[in-house]
Amino acid sequence: MVGKVFLVGAGPGDAKLITVKGWESIGRADAVVYDRLASPRLLKQMKPGAVKIYVGKRPDRHTMKQEEINQLLVDLALEGKVVVRLKGGDPTIFGRVGEEADLLRKNNIPFEIVPGVTSAISVPAYAGIPVTHRDYASSISIITGHESPDKLDRSIHWDKVTNATGTLVFMMGVSKIGYISEQLIRHGRPAQTPVALIRWGTRAEQDTITGTLEDIEAKVIAANFQPPAVIVVGEVVNQREQLKWAEALPLFGKRILVTRARSQASELVNRIEELGGEPYEFPVIETVIPSGESALESVKQAFGALNTFDWVFFTSVNGVEFFFRHLQQQGKDIRSIHQARVAAVGPSTGEALRKYGIVAEVIQGPFQAEGMLEAFENELKQGQRVLLPHGDLARSWLPEQLRERGLLVTEAIIYDTILAGEDDDELLKLLEEGGIHAMTFTSSSTVTNFMSILKRMGLQDPLPLLKNVEVACIGPVTAKTAEAAGLKVTMMAEEATIESLISVLSDWKRKPATEAVFPANHIN
């Protein structure tokens, strides 16, 4: 059975700038053939077992010739696979999609072209440059710049192109910027015409340089400005100083590693994106129902006695979610604890309970076990029965303190935290190139698992690779674990909440690079 090929535009770099149809195509693919301009985050949408094949091109070398890529798509489809050819920007704008589609057609392989957000328009927009403007330009030309001067002269009619439209956008022409400027001036564009080059637009590495046709080559050379970049020529470039919105965001230019479990990472990821940062998801933990017979039996016994407890203490959102999963599995409902006082550590845990119709007593002190004890110290009585539903890695401090005070404590280990995370060559590459600017840890297990996975990927000593990466922890317990692992913690949330973690990340962006961001009550 013959498969099908989707020729998909990945957008300019920001993973969210792909179309819905493109996103869905990746999710159903058996194989994804991609280049370096496609965001690595898009590959995480691939289903388990799907293969990814890198065919990217760099200025100094080509991983695979275009003819070989064309044949690869045919071969994969003839194996019966659903194939996605993932191309940066839009596949029909200098993406050679016509050549790929033509060979597919000749081999009777069905295909679809899925348009993408072209970098010719979106990259300038992220630099604050609208490619048209009612006062400055009512038309635009998109021109290839990625050719030798003699080829440029054959493919571009300079005498017609130079003044054909108000705005000229050259794709991939950084190394030819001097020749392009020279030809435009020679054919009638004023030497003082504004020019902008935007490299890696919409990504953390986004960088913009501006000048005029007369001086832009010298500026590019002085700045050692490297491709890939989009070149914009025209009066619209002058809008940049008023409209450079992306660079004004608190986390612009920062790629932040998120190690939280995928099921819980969305809030942190979304907030980083809202503030202009680029999150890189690398979940290192996964929470699951305990699989051991003894563990499940102890949970069953604890839930069989729910109507006997005076207190139920929830110390995490995971504790809430798994508590109700067990409750449902055992055919019970929340009326089983109608006589107990329900308490929660922190607003997130309280909000999780509220979704199940439980208005808990939420402690407002330190959002950890110590805060729980401090809040109810005077109300805990000897002989009272306490249920502590938690995970297998929970600290023993709280149950020990409660038992010392004469309370009868039942611990129900309702979920296990296991090692997750696939080997990720792209992450290693980013770390080697300094492309990860900060790492976030939301629990001690995220620290230990992250270090374990790096070692599994071949780094016997990960610390040298991480020495220049800022480390942000959600609280003092996690920070101590990070420091014990050899990491230098430079940021710690004042409260054990995602919002507080985001707050210190924003403060870090505004402070000097050598200045750590800690709450006033940080414990060394």
Side-chain angles (χ1 to χ4, degrees):
M1 180 180 177
V2 176
K4 183 172 183 177
V5 178
F6 292 85
L7 303 163
V8 178
D14 184 329
K16 282 194 172 181
L17 292 180
I18 193 171
T19 64
V20 173
K21 188 167 187 177
W23 179 264
E24 292 174 346
S25 299
I26 297 170
R28 62 181 290 198
D30 301 307
V32 175
V33 179
Y34 68 103
D35 60 37
R36 71 169 181 150
L37 298 182
S39 170
R41 289 180 61 201
L42 295 176
L43 301 179
K44 297 183 183 298
Q45 170 67 6
M46 294 169 61
K47 65 185 180 182
V51 297
K52 53 186 178 182
I53 304 170
Y54 178 68
V55 296
K57 302 173 184 178
R58 293 186 173 91
D60 58 338
R61 65 180 175 87
H62 286 191
T63 300
M64 189 178 290
K65 293 180 179 179
Q66 184 61 48
E67 294 76 13
E68 295 172 328
I69 296 173
N70 300 347
Q71 189 59 50
L72 174 64
L73 300 179
V74 171
D75 294 342
L76 290 170
L78 289 177
E79 293 173 7
K81 290 182 169 62
V82 174
V83 184
V84 164
R85 171 68 173 107
L86 195 61
K87 307 159 91 59
D90 179 275
T92 66
I93 297 182
F94 309 127
R96 307 187 75 168
V97 73
E99 299 170 45
E100 295 171 351
D102 187 51
L103 191 61
L104 293 170
R105 180 189 59 80
K106 289 177 179 176
N107 285 271
N108 297 313
I109 294 170
F111 66 88
E112 289 187 30
I113 298 176
V114 182
V117 177
T118 175
S119 55
I121 296 171
S122 56
V123 166
Y126 266 60
I129 302 172
V131 293
T132 64
H133 189 287
R134 65 182 297 178
D135 296 328
Y136 305 112
S138 58
S139 56
I140 175 177
S141 296
I142 302 174
I143 309 158
T144 179
H146 192 51
E147 301 284 2
S148 61
D150 61 322
K151 287 186 178 180
L152 283 176
D153 286 343
R154 290 198 300 270
S155 61
I156 300 173
H157 300 288
W158 292 105
D159 58 330
K160 296 180 174 65
V161 164
T162 298
N163 294 295
T165 57
T167 302
L168 306 178
V169 175
F170 290 86
M171 308 291 288
M172 308 293 289
V174 176
S175 62
K176 313 297 187 304
I177 185 60
Y179 186 77
I180 291 170
S181 298
E182 176 187 329
Q183 293 303 310
L184 293 177
I185 293 172
R186 177 178 298 174
H187 289 88
R189 281 273 173 144
Q192 294 305 308
T193 301
V195 183
L197 281 77
I198 310 105
R199 71 184 305 271
W200 286 120
T202 80
R203 295 192 180 194
E205 291 86 1
Q206 178 175 317
D207 190 18
T208 303
I209 188 170
T210 59
T212 66
L213 288 176
E214 188 175 45
D215 65 14
I216 192 64
E217 181 184 22
K219 288 187 174 183
V220 166
I221 293 171
N224 191 27
F225 200 84
Q226 297 296 315
V230 171
I231 303 169
V232 185
V233 179
E235 296 301 322
V236 292
V237 171
N238 288 332
Q239 294 295 298
R240 170 171 159 74
E241 286 306 311
Q242 291 76 41
L243 304 181
K244 51 183 181 181
W245 62 275
E247 292 160 50
L249 295 172
L251 292 179
F252 170 79
K254 300 299 183 183
R255 183 177 290 111
I256 300 170
L257 188 71
V258 177
T259 57
R260 209 174 196 200
R262 194 177 301 279
S263 61
Q264 292 184 303
S266 59
E267 182 185 358
L268 180 55
V269 166
N270 289 340
R271 293 290 289 125
I272 290 172
E273 287 179 324
E274 288 171 7
L275 295 172
E278 183 182 322
Y280 191 98
E281 292 183 74
F282 186 66
V284 299
I285 62 171
E286 184 179 350
T287 50
V288 297
I289 293 279
S291 56
E293 292 265 344
S294 59
L296 289 173
E297 182 58 31
S298 65
V299 171
K300 186 176 180 180
Q301 290 180 8
F303 276 62
L306 287 176
N307 61 354
T308 68
F309 292 105
D310 303 292
W311 295 87
V312 181
F313 286 164
F314 290 97
T315 56
S316 70
V317 172
N318 276 333
V320 174
E321 301 298 337
F322 279 91
F323 177 87
F324 282 93
R325 284 174 63 176
H326 283 285
L327 204 64
Q328 184 179 34
Q329 287 180 5
Q330 297 190 26
K332 300 178 183 296
D333 63 35
I334 200 60
R335 289 173 294 181
S336 302
I337 58 169
H338 71 276
Q339 79 296 331
R341 291 178 64 178
V342 178
V345 172
S348 296
T349 308
E351 182 58 31
L353 283 164
R354 186 179 291 274
K355 291 177 181 178
Y356 289 99
I358 306 298
V359 180
E361 299 180 56
V362 179
I363 65 163
Q364 300 301 321
F367 296 151
Q368 56 197 59
E370 287 81 352
M372 180 77 82
L373 189 64
E374 179 182 321
F376 299 109
E377 178 78 54
N378 297 328
E379 300 177 66
L380 298 171
K381 307 299 180 185
Q382 187 173 355
Q384 288 181 329
R385 294 175 58 85
V386 178
L387 175 63
L388 281 176
H390 57 66
D392 60 322
L393 301 182
R395 293 187 299 146
S396 60
W397 185 87
L398 181 58
E400 289 174 353
Q401 291 294 317
L402 293 171
R403 290 186 179 112
E404 285 183 9
R405 288 159 173 76
L407 286 87
L408 306 175
V409 179
T410 298
E411 295 182 72
I413 300 176
I414 57 176
Y415 66 92
D416 288 343
T417 302
I418 63 174
L419 185 70
E422 301 177 352
D423 289 358
D424 190 336
D425 292 337
E426 185 66 29
L427 174 60
L428 291 182
K429 179 183 173 185
L430 285 170
L431 287 170
E432 289 168 358
E433 296 175 348
I436 298 294
H437 306 108
M439 303 181 293
T440 60
F441 296 109
T442 54
S443 66
S444 291
S445 55
T446 60
V447 177
T448 54
N449 284 12
F450 176 67
M451 300 300 282
S452 296
I453 292 172
L454 289 183
K455 291 178 180 178
R456 188 184 71 194
M457 289 195 289
L459 294 176
Q460 294 306 311
D461 182 12
L463 292 177
L465 203 60
L466 305 175
K467 65 180 181 180
N468 294 321
V469 183
E470 304 286 338
V471 177
C473 294
I474 204 166
V477 175
T478 304
K480 285 182 179 179
T481 304
E483 289 166 352
L487 298 173
K488 182 181 179 181
V489 179
T490 53
M491 290 173 275
M492 192 180 80
E494 188 165 355
E495 299 176 344
T497 64
I498 295 301
E499 194 59 40
S500 185
L501 185 60
I502 283 292
S503 178
V504 296
L505 284 168
S506 297
D507 288 343
W508 153 64
K509 176 64 164 48
R510 291 190 292 266
K511 289 179 180 292
T514 56
E515 187 174 343
V517 182
F518 290 116
N521 60 350
H522 171 59
I523 303 172
N524 291 319

